[in-house]
Amino acid sequence: MTYDERLQNVSVLGAAGKMGSGILLLTAIEMVDRSLQPENKGKTFVLNAIDVSDEALAGLLGYLKVQVRKIAEKKTVWLRKMYAEREDLIENYDIIDEYIFDVLRMVRPVTSMEEAFRSSLVFEAVNENRALKVKLLSRIKENSQKDVWFFTNTSSVPIHLIDEEAGLDGKVIGFHFYNPPAVQKLVELIKTDNTLPEVEAFARQYATNLKKVVVPSNDVAGFIGNGHFMRDGLHGMKAAAKLAEEKNLSLYEAIYMVNKVTQEYLVRPMGIYQLMDYVGIDVMQFILNVMNPFVDDEDLHSDLLDQMMEQGVKGGQFSSGAQKNGFLKYEKGRPVAVWDVQQKQYVPFETFSAKCDEMLGSMPESAVAWKSTLRMKNKDEVLGRFYTDLKTTDTLGAELALHYGKCSRKIGEKLVADKVANNPDDVNTVMLTGFYHAYGPINTYFD
Amino acid sequence: MKKLRRKVYMAAGYNTISLGTGRKEFNPKKERPGIEHYISEAGQGVLKQIGGAENVDESVIGNFMAGRFNYQGHLDGFIPMIDKGLSMKPAVRVEGACASGGLSLVTGIRQVLAETSDVVLSLGFEVQNTVKAIYGADILAMAGWFKKRKKGHAYFFPGQFSDRAGAYYEKYGFDRTRKGMARWYANAIENARLDPTAQEYHNTNPDPYATALKMKPNGAAFVDHLTVLDCSKVSDGASGIAICSEEGLKRIGVDKKDAVEVIGFGHAVRDITSDPTDLTELETIKHAAHQALENAGITMDQVGTVETHDCFSIAGILAVEALGLAAKGEGADYVDAGHTSRTGEIPFNTTGGLIGWGHPTGGTGVHQAVTIWQQLTGNAGDAQITIDEKRPYGLTINMGGDDVTVTSIVFKRGA
Ligand SMILES: NC(=O)c1ccc[n+]([C@@H]2O[C@H](COP(=O)([O-])OP(=O)(O)OC[C@H]3O[C@@H](n4cnc5c(N)ncnc54)[C@H](O)[C@@H]3O)[C@@H](O)[C@H]2O)c1
C-alpha cells in the first residue's frame, strides 16, 4: 500500500476534541492535497471524524470551513495550478471556495465507531484514559477490513502498553502533537521495539508533508516534553514551599516570586505557575498519575496539586481559548492575583507584590525580555552575558534563578540518561519548539 | 489633438490620507471609515477652498471597483451627500480601471472646454482594504480582459508586470535592473516621508535602498520577477480638485498664481483584448504623454517634475523610457543614477507616488494632479521641491490596466 493509498480512508477518534479537531484539519488538508495530484484524479478519499459528542461534532465543520479558508488563502498560487483544468473556476474566490468544498465533502462527522472498520489509518485523540484507548483500538483492530495502522496522540501512556493490551501487532506509533496542532511545529514520534519500520516511515513522511519538526522520543511515560515539563512544574512547587519556609512568607507570596523568577530571570514566555494553569492543573495531575507508576527513582506527585483540585481550582482554557483561573487569576489574559490555599481565595498582586519584588532585588542591566529574543541573531551571546552577570549579582532573585536553571538542566540530562531522549539536542529542540523557551535546558549558562 | 480653445485651470486640491499597511492608524481587524467618509472628506476639502458648493456647476467622480470592494454602484448619487448645495446639479461617475481618476480630470477639462461649466468638482476614490489581498487581486484583475483571468496569476496584475520585469531582465540584465528598481523604491519612501497624508509617511527604515536590493523575487511565495516592495500599496483614500475656466477661477476667488493651468493633455486607449506588442515598452503611455507634450507645445527638457503611474517599480522605469529621458534598456540606470530623485535632474513622484504615497486605484489620477498643483504653487510643505525657471512645467501620467487606458496632462503655474 502506497502512502496515498493509505490516506484514502482515515479515521480520527475524538475528532471534536481540542487535539482531535486540529489533527482532523491537518489530515484533511494533507488528504485533499494528495487527492489533487494528477495521479490521484478520480480516486475517493474519505476522512471519518468520529466522536461521541453530537454537539461538538456539529461545530466541527464550521471550524474546518474557517480554518481551511485561511490555509487556502496562503497557497492560492499553488491551488490555481492544481485546478488549472477546471474551466469553471476562474477567480481566486472560486478556487478557494472549491478547495474548501473539497475538504468538507471528504469529512464525515459521525458518532459510530464502525466507520473506522474500513480505514487503513486511525488517529486516536480521545481523552487521556488508557482503558478507553485500549478498548477502542482493540475493537477497531478486531473488526477492521483493512491492514489498519494506528497513530496515538497520548501524552503519557507508553505506546508498547497500548500495543500489547489492544493487540495491535506493532502497527502503532505515538504521534504526539502539541496544542494547538495546526500551529505548533513540534511532533514527538514514539516508536516501540515492536513498531513496524513501514509504520515509522509513513509517520515520518506524513510529518514532513505537514512541515512539522519531528523529535524521536523513546517509549517512556511522559516522553520528552511532559517528561521535562512535569518535573519542572513539580520543582516549581517545591521551590515555592521551600522559599515560604525559609523566608517566613505565605505560600501565595512564594508562588508569586517563583512564577516571576521563572518568567523574567529564566527568559521564558510565561512563569512556571502560569504554564501549569495553561496546561490545566487537572491535566497535570492526571498525567503525573499515569507517569508515576513507571518511574522507580522519584515520586511524581504533588500534594499541592491535589489540594488545588480539592478546592476546585483547575486552570485550563475556555472553549474561546481564554485562560481559566488556576494558581493565578487572569484578567484579559494577564495574571493579576494568586490563589491562597489557606484562605481559599485570590490575593491581588498589588496587596503584596512590592514587598516580594524588593526581596527579589533588581535584575542586572544585561537582562533580556523573552519577546526580544525571538528574532535575535546573537541570542547566545546576549543570554550568556546576562547569566554571567547574574552569577555575580547578590540578590535572592538571582539565587533562585540560578538554582532553578541548574535544576531544569538536571531534568533534561536525566531524560537523556534514562534514555527517554536520544541526546541533549532532542531535549533542547522539544523545549525550544514545543514550549517556546529561548534556550534549551541543557546548556552551560548556569555552570 | 486640437489646441485647447479656452484656458483651463485647476486649484484647491485636497487629499485624504492613504490608509493601509504602513499607516500607524491602520488595523485590518478594526472597522474603518467607508466610502461615504472618503468622498465627503475629499469633496468638502475642495469646497472649503472655493467658497462652497454654490460655486460648483457640475461634478465628476472617478472610481474603479466600488461595485465589488464596497458592494456599491451608482456613485454619482453620493455627490449631493457631500453638500446639499450639490443637489439637483449634474454629476457623473467615470471608470477606466486605475485611470479612473485621470478620466475624472479629463472629463472635467472637457466640460470646461465645452463651456457647459465654469467650475467642475473632480473627485476620485477607492476603498479597497475591505477584502484580503488575495481577493483584492481578483477585483483588480477586472482591469484586464476577463477571458485572460483563468490563465493569469493568483495575483493577476503583479503577474502581468512581473512578466514585463522578467522580459526586461532578460534583455538588459538582472542586476542593473534590480538596482534601478531598488532606487525607485527608495525614492518613493524618501518622498512619502515628507507628506503627512502618505501611506509610507511613518516608514523609518534607515536604508530602504539596501532593503529593496536585498529582497529577491520569489515565485513560490509571490510572483517570479517582483518583490512586494516593487508593488504599489493597497489603499483607502480619495482626492479632489476644482477644474475651472478663467471666469470660474474668479467666481471661486482663487488667484491665478494659486492655480495651475492645463497647458495640454493626452488621452489614449489600447485594445484590452490584445497583448502588448513589446513587454519592455509602455506604448500607450508613450503615445498619450507625447500627445500631451505636443498639445502643450513643449518638450521634456521644459518639464520640471513628473507624476507617473508606478503601480510597479518596473512601470516607473518603463515610463522614464517612454518619455524619452533614457533610451530603451537604460531607464533602470537612469533611475539608479538618481536623476528621478527629489534632488535629481527631473524629480518624479515627489510625494511618494503609488509605491510611497499609496494607490487608492480610482483616486490616483486626481492625487497626481493635486501633487503637481501643490508643487507648482509652492504648497507642498515639507515635500516641496525647487522648480527651475527653465523647466516650469509639470506632467502627469495615469494608467489603467496593463497600459490600456492612459491620460496625461501638462500643467504650469497660473499667471
Ligand atoms: N490538550 C493538550 O494540550 C494535549 C497535547 C498533546 C496531547 N494531548 C492528548 O490528546 C488526547 C486528547 O486530548 P484533548 O486535550 O484533545 O482532549 P479533549 O477532551 O478536548 O478531547 C477528547 C475528545 O474525545 C472524545 N471522546 C471521548 N470518548 C470517545 C469515544 N469513545 N469515541 C470517540 N470520541 C470520544 C470527546 O468527546 C472529546 O471530544 C489525550 O490523549 C491527550 O493526552 C493533549
mmCIF file of all heavy atoms in Angstrom, chain B residues 311-340:
data_model
loop_
_atom_site.group_PDB
_atom_site.id
_atom_site.type_symbol
_atom_site.label_atom_id
_atom_site.label_comp_id
_atom_site.label_asym_id
_atom_site.label_seq_id
_atom_site.Cartn_x
_atom_site.Cartn_y
_atom_site.Cartn_z
ATOM 1 N N CYS B 311 2.524 51.797 -10.533
ATOM 2 C CA CYS B 311 1.824 50.706 -9.854
ATOM 3 C C CYS B 311 2.846 49.625 -9.509
ATOM 4 O O CYS B 311 2.682 48.888 -8.557
ATOM 5 C CB CYS B 311 0.709 50.154 -10.722
ATOM 6 S SG CYS B 311 1.179 49.893 -12.433
ATOM 7 N N PHE B 312 3.899 49.537 -10.306
ATOM 8 C CA PHE B 312 5.032 48.650 -10.036
ATOM 9 C C PHE B 312 6.294 49.422 -10.408
ATOM 10 O O PHE B 312 6.267 50.244 -11.326
ATOM 11 C CB PHE B 312 4.925 47.361 -10.861
ATOM 12 C CG PHE B 312 3.648 46.625 -10.569
ATOM 13 C CD1 PHE B 312 2.532 46.822 -11.359
ATOM 14 C CD2 PHE B 312 3.542 45.792 -9.463
ATOM 15 C CE1 PHE B 312 1.327 46.188 -11.059
ATOM 16 C CE2 PHE B 312 2.347 45.156 -9.155
ATOM 17 C CZ PHE B 312 1.228 45.359 -9.954
ATOM 18 N N SER B 313 7.381 49.146 -9.727
ATOM 19 C CA SER B 313 8.606 49.896 -9.992
ATOM 20 C C SER B 313 9.010 49.785 -11.460
ATOM 21 O O SER B 313 9.482 50.759 -12.054
ATOM 22 C CB SER B 313 9.735 49.401 -9.088
ATOM 23 O OG SER B 313 9.919 48.017 -9.283
ATOM 24 N N ILE B 314 8.758 48.619 -12.064
ATOM 25 C CA ILE B 314 9.139 48.452 -13.475
ATOM 26 C C ILE B 314 8.335 49.411 -14.361
ATOM 27 O O ILE B 314 8.845 49.919 -15.365
ATOM 28 C CB ILE B 314 8.989 46.964 -13.936
ATOM 29 C CG1 ILE B 314 9.499 46.753 -15.367
ATOM 30 C CG2 ILE B 314 7.542 46.488 -13.857
ATOM 31 C CD1 ILE B 314 10.978 46.865 -15.527
ATOM 32 N N ALA B 315 7.095 49.701 -13.962
ATOM 33 C CA ALA B 315 6.277 50.633 -14.750
ATOM 34 C C ALA B 315 6.875 52.037 -14.669
ATOM 35 O O ALA B 315 6.812 52.808 -15.634
ATOM 36 C CB ALA B 315 4.840 50.636 -14.254
ATOM 37 N N GLY B 316 7.460 52.368 -13.521
ATOM 38 C CA GLY B 316 8.126 53.659 -13.384
ATOM 39 C C GLY B 316 9.311 53.763 -14.333
ATOM 40 O O GLY B 316 9.491 54.753 -15.042
ATOM 41 N N ILE B 317 10.102 52.688 -14.361
ATOM 42 C CA ILE B 317 11.298 52.678 -15.216
ATOM 43 C C ILE B 317 10.907 52.737 -16.696
ATOM 44 O O ILE B 317 11.499 53.474 -17.488
ATOM 45 C CB ILE B 317 12.152 51.432 -14.897
ATOM 46 C CG1 ILE B 317 12.840 51.660 -13.535
ATOM 47 C CG2 ILE B 317 13.172 51.153 -15.984
ATOM 48 C CD1 ILE B 317 13.435 50.427 -12.919
ATOM 49 N N LEU B 318 9.871 51.958 -17.045
ATOM 50 C CA LEU B 318 9.433 51.964 -18.453
ATOM 51 C C LEU B 318 8.847 53.324 -18.841
ATOM 52 O O LEU B 318 8.960 53.741 -19.999
ATOM 53 C CB LEU B 318 8.419 50.844 -18.705
ATOM 54 C CG LEU B 318 8.985 49.417 -18.602
ATOM 55 C CD1 LEU B 318 7.870 48.381 -18.799
ATOM 56 C CD2 LEU B 318 10.097 49.193 -19.622
ATOM 57 N N ALA B 319 8.251 54.032 -17.878
ATOM 58 C CA ALA B 319 7.696 55.355 -18.173
ATOM 59 C C ALA B 319 8.827 56.341 -18.460
ATOM 60 O O ALA B 319 8.727 57.193 -19.345
ATOM 61 C CB ALA B 319 6.833 55.844 -17.022
ATOM 62 N N VAL B 320 9.915 56.209 -17.697
ATOM 63 C CA VAL B 320 11.086 57.060 -17.931
ATOM 64 C C VAL B 320 11.559 56.906 -19.381
ATOM 65 O O VAL B 320 11.870 57.886 -20.065
ATOM 66 C CB VAL B 320 12.214 56.686 -16.938
ATOM 67 C CG1 VAL B 320 13.547 57.245 -17.384
ATOM 68 C CG2 VAL B 320 11.863 57.163 -15.533
ATOM 69 N N GLU B 321 11.558 55.651 -19.845
ATOM 70 C CA GLU B 321 11.966 55.390 -21.231
ATOM 71 C C GLU B 321 10.922 55.895 -22.221
ATOM 72 O O GLU B 321 11.259 56.467 -23.265
ATOM 73 C CB GLU B 321 12.230 53.896 -21.436
ATOM 74 C CG GLU B 321 13.418 53.402 -20.606
ATOM 75 C CD GLU B 321 13.699 51.916 -20.768
ATOM 76 O OE1 GLU B 321 13.111 51.269 -21.665
ATOM 77 O OE2 GLU B 321 14.526 51.392 -19.986
ATOM 78 N N ALA B 322 9.645 55.691 -21.884
ATOM 79 C CA ALA B 322 8.569 56.128 -22.788
ATOM 80 C C ALA B 322 8.617 57.645 -22.990
ATOM 81 O O ALA B 322 8.299 58.157 -24.058
ATOM 82 C CB ALA B 322 7.211 55.703 -22.233
ATOM 83 N N LEU B 323 9.051 58.359 -21.943
ATOM 84 C CA LEU B 323 9.142 59.811 -22.043
ATOM 85 C C LEU B 323 10.394 60.254 -22.794
ATOM 86 O O LEU B 323 10.595 61.442 -23.044
ATOM 87 C CB LEU B 323 9.146 60.438 -20.638
ATOM 88 C CG LEU B 323 7.805 60.389 -19.889
ATOM 89 C CD1 LEU B 323 7.984 60.820 -18.437
ATOM 90 C CD2 LEU B 323 6.770 61.258 -20.584
ATOM 91 N N GLY B 324 11.266 59.299 -23.104
ATOM 92 C CA GLY B 324 12.477 59.617 -23.848
ATOM 93 C C GLY B 324 13.595 60.165 -22.985
ATOM 94 O O GLY B 324 14.594 60.671 -23.497
ATOM 95 N N LEU B 325 13.450 60.057 -21.656
ATOM 96 C CA LEU B 325 14.517 60.560 -20.777
ATOM 97 C C LEU B 325 15.726 59.636 -20.821
ATOM 98 O O LEU B 325 16.853 60.048 -20.558
ATOM 99 C CB LEU B 325 14.000 60.680 -19.343
ATOM 100 C CG LEU B 325 12.929 61.747 -19.136
ATOM 101 C CD1 LEU B 325 12.288 61.619 -17.764
ATOM 102 C CD2 LEU B 325 13.522 63.148 -19.315
ATOM 103 N N ALA B 326 15.473 58.373 -21.101
ATOM 104 C CA ALA B 326 16.559 57.406 -21.257
ATOM 105 C C ALA B 326 16.207 56.542 -22.449
ATOM 106 O O ALA B 326 15.023 56.347 -22.747
ATOM 107 C CB ALA B 326 16.685 56.541 -20.001
ATOM 108 N N ALA B 327 17.245 56.011 -23.087
ATOM 109 C CA ALA B 327 16.996 55.128 -24.228
ATOM 110 C C ALA B 327 16.422 53.814 -23.723
ATOM 111 O O ALA B 327 16.504 53.504 -22.528
ATOM 112 C CB ALA B 327 18.305 54.884 -24.966
ATOM 113 N N LYS B 328 15.872 53.022 -24.625
ATOM 114 C CA LYS B 328 15.341 51.718 -24.235
ATOM 115 C C LYS B 328 16.439 50.882 -23.588
ATOM 116 O O LYS B 328 17.548 50.800 -24.098
ATOM 117 C CB LYS B 328 14.771 50.982 -25.450
ATOM 118 C CG LYS B 328 13.360 51.419 -25.778
ATOM 119 C CD LYS B 328 12.688 50.482 -26.773
ATOM 120 C CE LYS B 328 12.137 49.249 -26.073
ATOM 121 N NZ LYS B 328 11.305 48.424 -26.977
ATOM 122 N N GLY B 329 16.121 50.306 -22.433
ATOM 123 C CA GLY B 329 17.107 49.479 -21.751
ATOM 124 C C GLY B 329 17.998 50.270 -20.819
ATOM 125 O O GLY B 329 18.791 49.702 -20.073
ATOM 126 N N GLU B 330 17.858 51.590 -20.825
ATOM 127 C CA GLU B 330 18.727 52.397 -19.949
ATOM 128 C C GLU B 330 17.950 53.131 -18.858
ATOM 129 O O GLU B 330 18.523 53.887 -18.063
ATOM 130 C CB GLU B 330 19.542 53.383 -20.793
ATOM 131 C CG GLU B 330 20.636 52.655 -21.565
ATOM 132 C CD GLU B 330 21.327 53.528 -22.596
ATOM 133 O OE1 GLU B 330 21.210 54.761 -22.526
ATOM 134 O OE2 GLU B 330 21.985 52.943 -23.480
ATOM 135 N N GLY B 331 16.635 52.874 -18.816
ATOM 136 C CA GLY B 331 15.802 53.538 -17.808
ATOM 137 C C GLY B 331 16.220 53.197 -16.381
ATOM 138 O O GLY B 331 16.262 54.058 -15.502
ATOM 139 N N ALA B 332 16.563 51.914 -16.164
ATOM 140 C CA ALA B 332 16.939 51.486 -14.813
ATOM 141 C C ALA B 332 18.210 52.210 -14.362
ATOM 142 O O ALA B 332 18.306 52.668 -13.213
ATOM 143 C CB ALA B 332 17.135 49.976 -14.779
ATOM 144 N N ASP B 333 19.181 52.319 -15.277
ATOM 145 C CA ASP B 333 20.436 53.029 -14.946
ATOM 146 C C ASP B 333 20.151 54.497 -14.639
ATOM 147 O O ASP B 333 20.718 55.077 -13.708
ATOM 148 C CB ASP B 333 21.423 52.970 -16.115
ATOM 149 C CG ASP B 333 21.811 51.538 -16.453
ATOM 150 O OD1 ASP B 333 21.600 50.665 -15.596
ATOM 151 O OD2 ASP B 333 22.297 51.315 -17.578
ATOM 152 N N TYR B 334 19.286 55.069 -15.459
ATOM 153 C CA TYR B 334 18.933 56.494 -15.291
ATOM 154 C C TYR B 334 18.351 56.735 -13.891
ATOM 155 O O TYR B 334 18.731 57.669 -13.193
ATOM 156 C CB TYR B 334 17.915 56.862 -16.372
ATOM 157 C CG TYR B 334 17.487 58.318 -16.384
ATOM 158 C CD1 TYR B 334 18.239 59.279 -17.072
ATOM 159 C CD2 TYR B 334 16.322 58.722 -15.733
ATOM 160 C CE1 TYR B 334 17.839 60.607 -17.101
ATOM 161 C CE2 TYR B 334 15.917 60.049 -15.754
ATOM 162 C CZ TYR B 334 16.677 60.996 -16.450
ATOM 163 O OH TYR B 334 16.281 62.301 -16.468
ATOM 164 N N VAL B 335 17.466 55.816 -13.476
ATOM 165 C CA VAL B 335 16.845 55.939 -12.155
ATOM 166 C C VAL B 335 17.881 55.702 -11.060
ATOM 167 O O VAL B 335 17.975 56.450 -10.090
ATOM 168 C CB VAL B 335 15.661 54.954 -12.012
ATOM 169 C CG1 VAL B 335 15.155 54.917 -10.573
ATOM 170 C CG2 VAL B 335 14.535 55.340 -12.966
ATOM 171 N N ASP B 336 18.698 54.658 -11.253
ATOM 172 C CA ASP B 336 19.681 54.332 -10.221
ATOM 173 C C ASP B 336 20.708 55.449 -10.061
ATOM 174 O O ASP B 336 21.247 55.665 -8.974
ATOM 175 C CB ASP B 336 20.384 53.006 -10.538
ATOM 176 C CG ASP B 336 21.192 52.513 -9.338
ATOM 177 O OD1 ASP B 336 20.691 52.674 -8.194
ATOM 178 O OD2 ASP B 336 22.300 51.990 -9.523
ATOM 179 N N ALA B 337 20.951 56.191 -11.132
ATOM 180 C CA ALA B 337 21.899 57.308 -11.046
ATOM 181 C C ALA B 337 21.309 58.486 -10.271
ATOM 182 O O ALA B 337 21.995 59.486 -10.027
ATOM 183 C CB ALA B 337 22.301 57.750 -12.443
ATOM 184 N N GLY B 338 20.046 58.378 -9.910
ATOM 185 C CA GLY B 338 19.439 59.419 -9.070
ATOM 186 C C GLY B 338 18.752 60.530 -9.834
ATOM 187 O O GLY B 338 18.274 61.492 -9.228
ATOM 188 N N HIS B 339 18.665 60.404 -11.158
ATOM 189 C CA HIS B 339 18.094 61.506 -11.948
ATOM 190 C C HIS B 339 16.624 61.778 -11.655
ATOM 191 O O HIS B 339 16.133 62.856 -11.919
ATOM 192 C CB HIS B 339 18.271 61.239 -13.451
ATOM 193 C CG HIS B 339 19.707 61.174 -13.855
ATOM 194 N ND1 HIS B 339 20.641 62.103 -13.428
ATOM 195 C CD2 HIS B 339 20.383 60.302 -14.649
ATOM 196 C CE1 HIS B 339 21.825 61.797 -13.932
ATOM 197 N NE2 HIS B 339 21.693 60.697 -14.669
ATOM 198 N N THR B 340 15.903 60.754 -11.119
ATOM 199 C CA THR B 340 14.472 60.963 -10.835
ATOM 200 C C THR B 340 14.208 61.233 -9.355
ATOM 201 O O THR B 340 13.063 61.341 -8.934
ATOM 202 C CB THR B 340 13.634 59.737 -11.265
ATOM 203 O OG1 THR B 340 14.112 58.589 -10.535
ATOM 204 C CG2 THR B 340 13.749 59.477 -12.760
#
